[in-house]
Amino acid sequence: MPSDVEETPEVKEWEDNTQNSSQWSAVASWQGIKSLFVLCMRSLLAALLLRSNATATQPEKKLRPTAYLDGLRGFAAFLVYWHHHTLFAHPGDTAKFFENGFGHEGQYYLAAFPYIRNFITGGHFAVSTFYVISGYVLTTKPLSLVHAGEQAKLADNLSSALFRRWLRLYIPLIATTFLYMTFWHLSGAFIAGSKPKSTYRAELWSWYAELKNFSFVFNQGGEPWFSYNFHLWSIPVEFKGSIVVYTATLAFSKCSRNARLWLEAGLVFYFLYISDGWYCALFCSGMLLCDLDLLAAKEDLPSFFDHFRKRKTLVYYFLLSVSLYLGGVPSANNEVKNLRKFGGWYYLSFLKPQAVFDYKWFYLFWAATLLVAAIPRIPWLRRFFETRFCQYLGRISFALYLVHGPVIWTLADRVYALVGWEAEWRVQHLGAWLGKFPLPRIGPAGMEVAFLLPHVVLLPVTLYVAEVVTRLFDEPSVQFPQWFYRKTMGRPSTPLARLPA
């Protein structure tokens, strides 16, 4: 199973694809590249103007109390984008050093250094943070109703949330993978690691057969990822985690304050130390953090937390430091004995519970939980995630996650070939592009000029596509389930008249 990390794609033979290579080789000229760049810049400018015109006519909205979580989600989505590009652009022998610890095989890459590595290959850390944020955000309203003792409103809220959740997650996934599948088949363009069917009808059936199994989250066995976009393995996990926290909120809704907190902590312990449910633990930790924040707002925290009031600034900076260190856990494979080879991780490796199969998720649980706990208590960091840039990334974060992979496999693969990044499949299938506009590989590994400059094109294109997908599919996937739920609601029931004795 490919993780959220982009592995070097396996090259598969395409059926009757040789005649299509000439269609793409004609574009691999300097004039073609200039035209492509101009088109991308015009598209981006149009998107920015549309966005600025729309916001200029509206009064500036006051940020919500949890706006920093939107910004954090957006920044995390950008880290996933950067992680996948880093590993996709670089040859396999170099990429393995990014995922291993600093000093692997005597090689000391700056990109693998603790803390710095989070900004180069922080995709796993980002996904873990997604899940903590989701656990927090999804339970904010239900837990506020629990605190208020509004049991009837809580039932209404949870029924609506459960009704809408699948549609909210899968409508954008279905739309984007359908369009990507149609593009790769009808264009005949080479896509590394994919194998198109002989007819569009066969391709459509293959997509549907995979989708129906992929979207059934209680399915057991089979492939855990979707071959039409490998990165979307996390969407079924998101849905499972959502069900866990919605169910837990309802189950604990009539408990006392202390009992509810202990039960939430108990769920975290169960999923992390007894069963291999790391993603459920992440969602439940978000739920626990939300509950504590709501209690803190009412000054109703358990007395245990009073011990930290005097040194709270120091405590939160310490938690942030621990979070960023653990977030860079070496994760080239799931063998804990490999982790013990790296300085700073030998003793930490013995903390891994027996229940966790892939050790990285244990350390990333603590990294993501401590990060979400620390950020709102460190003013300058919270303000950063509330900036317009991070808020914009937060608005398009789901779409950015959905589309960055297809942009990598279609456009970025050719741009990297163009500037001289060689790989077996590029030599075999993209030879007309290879090295036509070579750039120097000056700079530390993972930060070379030849890697950074292509993002002058790739990042605007990806953001533009994400903006389009946000408007066409993401935002409607919020509105349509709400409308649909209202349409399915029956009239309020009236009590039966008392029958005569």
Side-chain angles (χ1 to χ4, degrees), residues 159-172:
S159 66
S160 172
L162 280 168
F163 183 96
R164 294 180 284 113
R165 191 60 176 160
W166 190 95
L167 294 169
R168 167 69 184 100
L169 292 173
Y170 280 95
I171 287 175

Side-chain angles (χ1 to χ4, degrees), residues 98-115:
F98 297 149
E99 292 257 83
N100 278 289
F102 186 66
H104 178 64
E105 296 183 359
Q107 300 294 321
Y108 297 89
Y109 288 100
L110 181 63
F113 192 78
Y115 298 99

Side-chain angles (χ1 to χ4, degrees), residues 24 122 197 245 247 340 348 455:
W24 289 88
K197 309 304 178 187
V245 292
T247 305
R340 291 174 185 160
L348 288 173
H455 290 276

Side-chain angles (χ1 to χ4, degrees), residues 460-477:
V461 171
T462 306
L463 293 178
Y464 175 70
V465 176
E467 176 70 31
V468 172
V469 168
T470 297
R471 297 186 184 195
L472 291 182
F473 306 122
D474 186 26
E475 291 173 349
S477 75

Side-chain angles (χ1 to χ4, degrees), residues 1 24 40 66 82 115 165 186 202 248 326 396 425 463 499:
M1 167 183 175
W24 289 88
C40 293
T66 57
W82 199 259
Y115 298 99
R165 191 60 176 160
L186 298 184
L326 295 178
I396 66 166
W425 74 92
L463 293 178
L499 295 175

Side-chain angles (χ1 to χ4, degrees), residues 113-300:
F113 192 78
Y115 298 99
I116 294 175
R117 63 186 296 127
N118 293 326
F119 300 98
I120 308 297
T121 54
H124 291 128
F125 190 9
V127 170
S128 301
T129 305
F130 288 154
Y131 293 154
V132 177
I133 292 173
S134 291
Y136 190 112
V137 173
L138 293 178
T139 57
T140 299
K141 181 62 175 180
L143 283 174
S144 67
L145 294 172
V146 170
H147 287 203
E150 299 279 3
Q151 294 293 327
K153 291 182 179 180
L154 174 66
D156 290 341
N157 179 271
L158 290 177
S159 66
S160 172
L162 280 168
F163 183 96
R164 294 180 284 113
R165 191 60 176 160
W166 190 95
L167 294 169
R168 167 69 184 100
L169 292 173
Y170 280 95
I171 287 175
L173 181 151
I174 292 169
T176 55
T177 56
F178 173 79
L179 292 175
Y180 179 52
M181 173 272 298
T182 300
F183 169 79
W184 91 9
H185 185 88
L186 298 184
S187 70
F190 167 74
I191 307 293
S194 61
K195 189 175 182 180
K197 309 304 178 187
S198 56
T199 65
Y200 182 69
R201 181 177 180 180
E203 194 80 72
L204 185 62
W205 176 257
S206 174
W207 171 79
Y208 165 73
E210 274 199 56
L211 176 66
K212 68 182 180 65
N213 294 327
F214 181 75
S215 60
F216 178 53
V217 297
F218 301 107
N219 188 29
Q220 297 182 354
E223 301 291 351
W225 61 87
F226 194 24
S227 66
Y228 291 91
N229 192 339
F230 294 113
H231 301 157
L232 304 188
W233 65 269
S234 62
I235 303 303
V237 175
E238 176 80 23
F239 186 61
K240 292 176 186 177
S242 303
I243 293 176
V244 167
V245 292
Y246 286 147
T247 305
T249 303
L250 181 61
F252 304 157
S253 62
K254 294 189 177 181
C255 297
S256 66
R257 180 201 66 179
N258 287 353
R260 186 179 64 251
L261 293 176
W262 276 113
L263 288 168
E264 290 166 359
L267 273 184
V268 171
F269 181 85
Y270 171 77
F271 287 126
L272 199 61
Y273 288 90
I274 298 177
S275 67
D276 191 9
W278 56 269
Y279 57 90
C280 297
L282 286 163
F283 272 81
C284 289
S285 74
M287 175 185 179
L288 178 57
L289 291 176
C290 178
D291 207 346
L292 291 172
D293 281 349
L294 290 173
L295 290 170
K298 301 190 300 180
E299 298 186 353
D300 190 28

Side-chain angles (χ1 to χ4, degrees), residues 269-478:
F269 181 85
Y270 171 77
F271 287 126
L272 199 61
Y273 288 90
I274 298 177
S275 67
D276 191 9
W278 56 269
Y279 57 90
C280 297
L282 286 163
F283 272 81
C284 289
S285 74
M287 175 185 179
L288 178 57
L289 291 176
C290 178
D291 207 346
L292 291 172
D293 281 349
L294 290 173
L295 290 170
K298 301 190 300 180
E299 298 186 353
D300 190 28
L301 282 172
S303 58
F304 166 78
F305 292 94
D306 293 339
H307 299 291
F308 305 99
R309 289 185 184 275
K310 293 181 179 179
R311 300 178 180 86
K312 62 181 181 179
T313 301
L314 179 63
V315 167
Y316 288 121
Y317 273 99
F318 174 74
L319 295 182
L320 178 65
S321 179
V322 172
S323 166
L324 295 179
Y325 183 81
L326 295 178
V329 57
S331 55
N333 56 49
N334 55 26
E335 296 290 336
V336 73
K337 63 182 181 182
N338 186 60
L339 182 64
R340 291 174 185 160
K341 298 177 183 177
F342 307 118
W345 286 98
Y346 178 79
Y347 293 107
L348 288 173
S349 70
F350 292 100
L351 298 177
K352 184 197 84 72
Q354 180 275 333
V356 178
F357 174 72
D358 190 343
Y359 67 81
K360 68 174 175 285
W361 298 114
F362 170 73
Y363 301 100
L364 291 173
F365 164 83
W366 291 107
T369 299
L370 297 180
L371 181 70
V372 175
I375 285 176
R377 279 89 184 177
I378 300 177
W380 65 267
L381 193 55
R382 177 171 183 155
R383 287 194 298 270
F384 169 74
F385 290 112
E386 291 176 342
T387 59
R388 294 185 65 179
F389 171 71
C390 287
Q391 291 297 301
Y392 171 72
L393 287 179
R395 191 181 71 85
I396 66 166
S397 58
F398 190 24
L400 178 60
Y401 191 79
L402 292 171
V403 306
H404 79 278
V407 173
I408 288 174
W409 301 319
T410 53
L411 176 62
D413 200 10
R414 287 158 177 80
V415 174
Y416 290 138
L418 189 73
V419 299
W421 289 104
E422 293 186 4
E424 181 183 349
W425 74 92
R426 289 176 190 143
V427 173
Q428 184 176 356
H429 295 281
L430 301 175
W433 292 77
L434 202 58
K436 293 296 184 182
F437 189 59
L439 293 175
R441 298 189 184 182
I442 302 172
M447 293 170 266
E448 307 93 338
V449 171
F451 174 64
L452 297 178
L453 278 184
H455 290 276
V456 173
V457 172
L458 297 176
L459 181 57
V461 171
T462 306
L463 293 178
Y464 175 70
V465 176
E467 176 70 31
V468 172
V469 168
T470 297
R471 297 186 184 195
L472 291 182
F473 306 122
D474 186 26
E475 291 173 349
S477 75
V478 176

